[in-house]
Amino acid sequence: MSQTVEKWDYFEYAAAAQTTGNPFIDVRFEAEFTYEHRVVRVRGFYDGDDTFRVRFMPDTEGTWRYRTYSNVDGLDGLDGTFACVPPTGDNHGPVRVVDPYHFAYEDGTPYHPVGTTCYVWNHQGDTLEAQTIATLKDAPFNKMRMCVFPKRYVFNKNEPPCYPFEGEVTREWDDSLLDNYKTQAPPEFWDFTRFNPAFFRKLEKHILDLQALGIEADLIIFHPYDFGAWGFDRMPPGVNERYLEYLTARLSALRNVWWSFANEYDLMLDLDMNDWDRYFKIVQSNDPYDHLRSIHNCRGFYDHTKPWVTHCSVQHYDMLQMPTWLKQYNKPVVVDECGYEGDISRAWGSLSAESLLECFWLGFAAGGYVGHGETYWNEDETLWWAKGGTLSGDSPARIAFLRQIVEAIPAPGLSPFASDKDLRGIIPEGAYKGMAAGHRGEDYYLLYLARNQPRFRVFDLPANNRYHIDLIDTWNMTVDRLADDVSGRVEVELPRRNYLALRVIRQS
Amino acid sequence: MSQTVEKWDYFEYAAAAQTTGNPFIDVRFEAEFTYEHRVVRVRGFYDGDDTFRVRFMPDTEGTWRYRTYSNVDGLDGLDGTFACVPPTGDNHGPVRVVDPYHFAYEDGTPYHPVGTTCYVWNHQGDTLEAQTIATLKDAPFNKMRMCVFPKRYVFNKNEPPCYPFEGEVTREWDDSLLDNYKTQAPPEFWDFTRFNPAFFRKLEKHILDLQALGIEADLIIFHPYDFGAWGFDRMPPGVNERYLEYLTARLSALRNVWWSFANEYDLMLDLDMNDWDRYFKIVQSNDPYDHLRSIHNCRGFYDHTKPWVTHCSVQHYDMLQMPTWLKQYNKPVVVDECGYEGDISRAWGSLSAESLLECFWLGFAAGGYVGHGETYWNEDETLWWAKGGTLSGDSPARIAFLRQIVEAIPAPGLSPFASDKDLRGIIPEGAYKGMAAGHRGEDYYLLYLARNQPRFRVFDLPANNRYHIDLIDTWNMTVDRLADDVSGRVEVELPRRNYLALRVIRQS
């Protein structure tokens, strides 16, 4: 009886071979996976210890055959079968774009990203990493932005437990490099022709730990926060490309992987737009499963209209631009950084919980998505935004409440109104001056009032339908029914409070 | 002994003459006012009852002579003198632009506009008008936006006590006209060749009532809120021009007059940009005193770079654009409408006090100005924003506190930092993500944190100076000294609260 693998889990085939030369460079190891007449060719990888592996995520139930291809005799022509069986539990497959502004798992289950950022939680050692996972278990987040490479920055002065390449750090790093690392050549610690399989196995474990919690891993492939510590932001020619191939060969079969090509790509001044375009294409052609792909800005946006970008990953403070971005790019917009709840002295890390939550509601109400991060200072400099650990802010509970509200919206989720005229057809008094509104056809309307406090609000609801209207207190996390079984012009009376929202739900 | 007039008060000369024809149209009545070799020619006006008047605001102490010119024998060649004596009390002269972002009275006293809007408080009858004046006596405002013409709109369904032209309202107005008044010709109630002097005398009284309270009258000459009630937004060809001449002849000598050419000029679709340009030029050439001139948008801005615009009167919700506007126009920017504190169902009239106050601080901290309005609904539909009356909001007390802070800034006031680099030279961690900052040279720095709550904040203060640093709680209206006699890099510790600001003052 052949091995069984759940649909969207991954099958792994390992083969041992002693090879000459550099097995990362000199050995080609691939496999074809075949279901009936359909053939999918995937790249394998060297995992150290004379072991070569190839992974495959089947998307169709039934019997799959495989056969290996290699330039090494003992690795070529190996074959077998496995049975792809139905998914169980929370396995809904990888996340795809739908609608065009939203996401769903491949089985059609809606997925609304409610993300957080712990850039390098995965480089902090077992104790803290376990604490992060424990925190995430009770947190409202279903997406994690995290870096492959370690990070050097304020509050990030520690070394990771291991490194992606063979070699060792042989130079003391000091703070002055934060200002002048560009005046020095990158450190030469590494044999860039030899990956460190242990590093990547750890990364895979972290991604699977997240998967077990229902959390998508929004994996940041490159980032600028190196400052001469390791030089992973300035690797020699050809290394970035080889790294992309190795990464995709190892990780593509993990269903909860998203490719985030960079955090703040525009701060990586050694790479130009052609490089980013090329990296997108390399990953696209090496990832048989077409995982989500995005690239995150510091200032100017990458051109998200490019066809290889599946959704917009945005850094921006002004959520009122959400409808503009959605219409401009016609793709989902995820503002992964609007600023973080915290109390550090940096502007990006001192948002009050009220302010961050307002960003969330402004973005979600307009049909987009907004992400969380937390930067409360502590003695250990263990800030959630970088290292994970525990959460102490006031926003996560309220984001959990928001997530409940969002997940109750008819699939696939809210759209911005096509025009101000359309919006005023339903909400005659408009939704400007810092408010936001969205709708799902005629089934659902959401108006977020932010710090507006009207005593009354009017809706012009489609006359053929019956609706009920709820008052949502986004801060105090309450929902109160204001009207039942209404239609046409409806006026509702509101209390004088900040951070309220109104939702209008079509009765079945 | 000749009559005496305070500098910047006005001298008025009246002459009686029975004339044939229409005295508004057929009689030219002007006067030359002469101080030594300087001659100022000003236009007079017909004030009804066979009386012609000419007014003059002297700006130089000493003896002024005058002589009239007219096409009517009995009005021509009248002459005399008056003595211009030093100003007293709060008479600092008309307000001028300085710096280029700020204002000062002509005697050099700084003037920081802290305005409010009661569009038609002056058309509400004696009782309510007296109440408005009483309210203003204790309010923090030193500028009032008000319309010459009455207003028809939601909450504005009443007739004014009198009208600017001879005639009477002979048609019932009904609400349906709010939607379709454009389908009808303007009403024909008026003899547009005959002004109603009583109407303008009332207007002058209101302006002088404000002057007595130290309040500048930001007089809105045209506005779109007529909706077929009177047709003042769509007067026949030539009437707008004659109205401008009459208005300037009557009012220019009142030192606290500002010319606001329109509220929401871009909603007056019968007028095009050439019309507005021409109106500016007519007023400019008929106003011997060069009072401030602006024009207020609904959506798109008028081109405030045009030379006849003295300052930008803006409607916009986003105060974070203040530095951009200041640099773009190189003139003072007064956001007269960012939205109003209130609870009506319109987006522009339901800002919470917190939200409006945040707009104020964001705008002022960046070197601009922001104005107030209040729209709390009440049974009488007496909303401050339109009719005046009383104030019930939470922002005025806090605006009074802000005004104290602003008036303690070294003259002429704050500038935005020239660049983000300059800003970071003083505030190394920046002032983005919804914050604002400004400075007066090296003498004063202000950083408004809005809903950021950093535990620490760092300043890099000029090493040659000594400073003290205050924490301002803009909501609770407190000032606490955080540091004294500091210089260079200084870190201050802050409580975790929304709506704080930091000011850094150079010690003398």
Side-chain angles (χ1 to χ4, degrees):
Chain A
M1 193 182 157
S2 73
Q3 190 181 340
T4 64
V5 175
E6 267 187 34
K7 182 170 162 179
W8 302 311
D9 269 353
Y10 68 91
F11 170 81
E12 181 175 293
Y13 179 76
Q18 287 186 324
T19 58
T20 56
N22 181 343
F24 291 104
I25 300 284
D26 301 324
V27 176
R28 183 171 62 80
F29 182 62
E30 299 177 358
E32 276 182 0
F33 289 83
T34 306
Y35 173 80
E36 295 183 352
H37 296 289
R38 176 175 164 219
V39 178
V40 183
R41 183 132 179 166
V42 303
R43 194 186 285 262
F45 59 93
Y46 181 60
D47 199 28
D49 299 324
D50 298 330
T51 305
F52 294 82
R53 297 182 196 275
V54 63
R55 292 173 178 159
F56 181 68
M57 179 183 81
D59 61 4
T60 305
E61 292 163 36
T63 300
W64 287 81
R65 289 167 290 121
Y66 59 86
R67 181 203 188 282
T68 64
Y69 294 87
S70 179
N71 57 347
V72 173
D73 278 353
L75 296 173
D76 188 68
L78 306 169
D79 61 4
T81 64
F82 70 89
C84 176
V85 298
T88 62
D90 293 329
N91 175 3
H92 301 289
V95 171
R96 307 298 187 189
V97 168
V98 295
D99 177 45
Y101 301 137
H102 295 284
F103 301 93
Y105 294 102
E106 190 163 315
D107 74 353
T109 305
Y111 168 82
H112 300 288
V114 178
T116 190
T117 292
C118 306
Y119 282 121
V120 285
W121 75 274
N122 46 314
H123 294 298
Q124 304 306 320
D126 294 344
T127 308
L128 188 51
E129 290 164 13
Q131 191 181 47
T132 303
I133 288 293
T135 300
L136 287 169
K137 204 168 288 180
D138 298 320
F141 307 114
N142 61 14
K143 181 169 85 71
M144 169 63 82
R145 284 208 306 153
M146 56 186 280
C147 298
V148 176
F149 292 132
K151 174 170 182 160
R152 179 59 39 93
Y153 194 53
V154 285
F155 308 121
N156 286 273
K157 305 292 172 64
N158 54 328
E159 291 292 321
C162 61
Y163 301 93
F165 299 97
E166 280 188 21
E168 56 182 322
V169 172
T170 56
R171 193 175 74 185
E172 279 285 305
W173 186 89
D174 72 273
D175 270 344
S176 69
L177 283 163
L178 281 176
D179 294 324
N180 66 11
Y181 78 101
K182 282 274 185 184
T183 63
Q184 301 186 13
E188 297 186 348
F189 304 153
W190 317 112
D191 178 352
F192 282 117
T193 70
R194 291 179 181 271
F195 296 101
N196 174 9
F199 176 94
F200 289 92
R201 280 196 289 272
K202 208 179 195 21
L203 177 62
E204 288 150 15
K205 177 189 177 302
H206 288 129
I207 293 171
L208 292 171
D209 285 347
L210 295 176
Q211 187 183 99
L213 298 176
I215 298 173
E216 301 293 301
D218 199 359
L219 197 64
I220 296 168
I221 299 175
F222 296 103
H223 71 77
Y225 297 104
D226 192 287
F227 291 102
W230 311 289
F232 299 140
D233 58 334
R234 294 182 288 165
M235 298 195 287
V239 177
N240 284 357
E241 288 79 352
R242 206 156 56 230
Y243 158 62
L244 290 172
E245 287 170 2
Y246 191 71
L247 196 69
T248 48
R250 293 198 68 118
L251 300 185
S252 293
L254 278 59
R255 68 172 171 272
N256 63 323
V257 163
W258 300 19
W259 307 118
S260 174
F261 282 77
N263 185 39
E264 302 188 336
Y265 81 95
D266 46 333
L267 299 189
M268 299 189 72
L269 302 179
D270 295 309
L271 297 174
D272 66 20
M273 216 55 93
N274 290 323
D275 293 319
W276 295 113
D277 291 354
R278 192 171 70 257
Y279 299 160
F280 266 100
K281 292 176 197 169
I282 289 171
V283 167
Q284 206 177 8
S285 58
N286 278 280
D287 167 9
Y289 319 105
D290 201 29
H291 287 283
L292 295 173
R293 290 174 300 273
S294 72
I295 182 166
H296 187 80
N297 63 293
C298 176
R299 299 192 175 91
F301 290 7
Y302 181 86
D303 179 2
H304 300 302
T305 60
K306 289 182 177 175
W308 40 81
V309 178
T310 55
H311 63 285
C312 311
S313 173
V314 164
Q315 176 174 173
H316 206 283
Y317 71 91
D318 183 8
M319 296 309 97
L320 298 177
Q321 298 196 35
M322 186 63 84
T324 305
W325 296 327
L326 286 167
K327 290 169 200 169
Q328 178 176 0
Y329 297 113
N330 207 38
K331 296 179 182 180
V333 174
V334 184
V335 180
D336 285 303
E337 184 183 340
C338 62
Y340 302 125
E341 182 188 347
D343 64 359
I344 61 171
S345 54
R346 307 302 175 98
W348 49 261
S350 61
L351 292 189
S352 68
E354 292 90 339
S355 180
L356 179 63
L357 198 73
E358 181 175 298
C359 287
F360 264 77
W361 276 89
L362 287 174
F364 276 80
Y369 296 95
V370 180
H372 164 270
E374 188 178 291
T375 46
Y376 284 109
W377 185 87
N378 52 60
E379 288 282 348
D380 306 332
E381 302 207 334
T382 302
L383 278 63
W384 174 263
W385 134 91
K387 298 181 180 173
T390 56
L391 287 163
S392 67
D394 292 323
S395 67
R398 293 165 174 92
I399 291 168
F401 174 76
L402 165 63
R403 185 175 163 183
Q404 282 176 25
I405 300 286
V406 168
E407 291 183 347
I409 295 170
L414 294 179
S415 289
F417 286 89
S419 66
D420 191 59
K421 185 158 172 290
D422 280 10
L423 187 155
R424 285 173 188 266
I426 299 297
I427 303 172
E429 289 151 340
Y432 51 106
K433 300 278 182 200
M435 302 183 220
H439 72 108
R440 168 45 46 199
E442 294 190 355
D443 293 335
Y444 188 106
Y445 303 98
L446 185 64
L447 170 63
Y448 174 57
L449 297 169
R451 286 180 295 172
N452 285 269
Q453 48 179 26
R455 173 190 294 241
F456 301 102
R457 261 288 178 167
V458 170
F459 292 94
D460 280 335
L461 301 174
N464 296 336
N465 308 327
R466 312 298 298 176
Y467 294 89
H468 67 252
I469 303 178
D470 290 331
L471 174 70
I472 301 172
D473 185 324
T474 69
W475 184 255
N476 295 306
M477 298 178 280
T478 59
V479 178
D480 291 298
R481 183 65 45 93
L482 293 184
D484 248 317
D485 199 33
V486 293
S487 189
R489 174 152 292 210
V490 188
E491 184 176 84
V492 290
E493 190 171 349
L494 307 176
R496 189 191 294 182
R497 288 208 296 278
N498 284 317
Y499 308 122
L500 301 177
L502 289 164
R503 70 173 177 189
V504 181
I505 305 180
R506 184 174 173 174
Q507 294 167 199
S508 53
Chain B
M1 194 182 156
S2 73
Q3 189 181 341
T4 65
V5 174
E6 267 187 35
K7 183 171 163 178
W8 303 311
D9 269 353
Y10 69 90
F11 170 80
E12 181 174 294
Y13 179 76
Q18 287 187 326
T19 58
T20 56
N22 181 343
F24 291 104
I25 300 284
D26 301 324
V27 176
R28 183 171 61 81
F29 182 62
E30 299 177 357
E32 276 182 1
F33 289 83
T34 307
Y35 173 79
E36 295 182 353
H37 295 290
R38 176 174 164 219
V39 178
V40 183
R41 184 134 179 165
V42 303
R43 194 186 285 262
F45 59 93
Y46 181 60
D47 199 28
D49 299 325
D50 299 329
T51 304
F52 294 82
R53 297 181 197 275
V54 63
R55 292 172 178 160
F56 181 68
M57 180 184 81
D59 61 4
T60 305
E61 292 163 36
T63 300
W64 287 81
R65 289 168 290 122
Y66 59 86
R67 180 202 187 282
T68 65
Y69 293 86
S70 180
N71 58 346
V72 173
D73 278 354
L75 295 173
D76 187 68
L78 306 168
D79 61 5
T81 63
F82 70 88
C84 176
V85 298
T88 63
D90 293 330
N91 175 3
H92 301 290
V95 171
R96 307 298 186 189
V97 167
V98 294
D99 176 44
Y101 300 137
H102 295 285
F103 301 93
Y105 294 102
E106 191 164 315
D107 74 354
T109 305
Y111 168 82
H112 300 288
V114 178
T116 189
T117 292
C118 305
Y119 282 121
V120 285
W121 74 275
N122 45 314
H123 294 298
Q124 304 305 320
D126 294 344
T127 308
L128 188 51
E129 290 164 13
Q131 192 182 46
T132 303
I133 288 292
T135 300
L136 287 169
K137 205 168 287 181
D138 298 320
F141 307 114
N142 61 14
K143 181 169 85 72
M144 169 63 82
R145 284 208 307 153
M146 56 186 280
C147 298
V148 176
F149 293 132
K151 174 170 182 160
R152 179 58 41 91
Y153 194 53
V154 286
F155 308 121
N156 286 273
K157 305 292 172 64
N158 53 329
E159 291 292 321
C162 60
Y163 300 93
F165 299 98
E166 280 189 21
E168 57 181 322
V169 172
T170 56
R171 192 176 74 186
E172 278 284 306
W173 185 90
D174 72 273
D175 270 343
S176 70
L177 284 163
L178 281 177
D179 294 324
N180 66 10
Y181 78 101
K182 283 275 186 183
T183 63
Q184 301 186 12
E188 297 185 348
F189 303 154
W190 317 113
D191 178 351
F192 282 117
T193 70
R194 291 178 180 272
F195 296 101
N196 175 8
F199 175 94
F200 289 92
R201 281 195 289 270
K202 210 181 195 21
L203 178 61
E204 287 149 15
K205 177 190 176 301
H206 289 129
I207 293 171
L208 293 171
D209 285 347
L210 295 176
Q211 187 183 98
L213 298 176
I215 298 173
E216 301 292 302
D218 199 358
L219 196 65
I220 296 167
I221 299 175
F222 296 104
H223 71 77
Y225 297 104
D226 192 287
F227 292 101
W230 311 289
F232 300 140
D233 58 333
R234 293 182 288 165
M235 298 195 286
V239 177
N240 284 357
E241 288 80 352
R242 206 156 55 230
Y243 158 62
L244 290 172
E245 287 171 2
Y246 192 71
L247 196 69
T248 48
R250 292 198 70 118
L251 300 185
S252 293
L254 278 60
R255 68 171 172 272
N256 64 322
V257 164
W258 300 18
W259 307 117
S260 174
F261 282 77
N263 185 39
E264 302 187 337
Y265 80 96
D266 46 333
L267 299 190
M268 299 190 72
L269 302 179
D270 295 308
L271 297 174
D272 66 20
M273 215 56 92
N274 290 323
D275 293 319
W276 295 113
D277 291 355
R278 192 172 71 257
Y279 298 160
F280 266 101
K281 292 176 197 169
I282 289 171
V283 167
Q284 207 177 7
S285 57
N286 278 279
D287 168 8
Y289 319 105
D290 201 30
H291 287 283
L292 294 173
R293 290 175 300 272
S294 72
I295 182 166
H296 187 80
N297 64 293
C298 176
R299 298 191 176 92
F301 290 6
Y302 181 87
D303 178 2
H304 299 303
T305 60
K306 289 182 177 176
W308 41 80
V309 177
T310 55
H311 64 285
C312 312
S313 173
V314 164
Q315 176 173 174
H316 206 283
Y317 71 90
D318 183 7
M319 296 308 99
L320 298 176
Q321 298 196 35
M322 186 63 84
T324 306
W325 296 327
L326 286 168
K327 289 169 200 169
Q328 178 176 0
Y329 297 113
N330 206 39
K331 296 178 182 180
V333 174
V334 184
V335 180
D336 285 304
E337 184 182 341
C338 62
Y340 303 125
E341 182 188 347
D343 64 359
I344 61 171
S345 54
R346 306 302 175 97
W348 49 262
S350 61
L351 293 189
S352 68
E354 293 90 339
S355 180
L356 179 62
L357 198 72
E358 182 174 298
C359 287
F360 264 77
W361 276 89
L362 287 173
F364 276 80
Y369 296 96
V370 180
H372 164 271
E374 188 178 291
T375 46
Y376 283 110
W377 185 87
N378 52 60
E379 288 282 348
D380 305 333
E381 302 207 334
T382 302
L383 279 62
W384 173 263
W385 133 91
K387 298 181 180 173
T390 56
L391 287 164
S392 67
D394 292 323
S395 67
R398 292 165 174 92
I399 291 169
F401 174 76
L402 166 63
R403 185 175 163 183
Q404 283 176 24
I405 300 287
V406 168
E407 291 183 346
I409 295 170
L414 294 178
S415 289
F417 285 89
S419 66
D420 191 59
K421 186 157 171 290
D422 280 10
L423 187 154
R424 286 173 188 266
I426 299 296
I427 303 171
E429 290 151 340
Y432 51 106
K433 300 278 182 200
M435 302 184 220
H439 72 108
R440 168 47 45 199
E442 294 190 354
D443 293 335
Y444 188 106
Y445 303 99
L446 184 64
L447 170 63
Y448 174 57
L449 297 168
R451 286 180 296 171
N452 285 269
Q453 49 179 25
R455 173 190 293 240
F456 301 102
R457 261 288 177 167
V458 170
F459 292 94
D460 280 335
L461 301 175
N464 296 335
N465 308 327
R466 313 297 298 176
Y467 293 90
H468 67 252
I469 303 179
D470 290 330
L471 174 70
I472 301 172
D473 184 323
T474 69
W475 184 255
N476 295 306
M477 298 178 279
T478 58
V479 178
D480 291 298
R481 183 65 45 93
L482 293 184
D484 249 316
D485 199 34
V486 293
S487 189
R489 175 152 291 210
V490 188
E491 185 176 84
V492 291
E493 190 171 350
L494 307 176
R496 189 191 294 181
R497 288 208 295 279
N498 284 317
Y499 309 122
L500 301 178
L502 290 164
R503 71 173 176 188
V504 182
I505 305 180
R506 185 174 173 175
Q507 294 167 198
S508 54

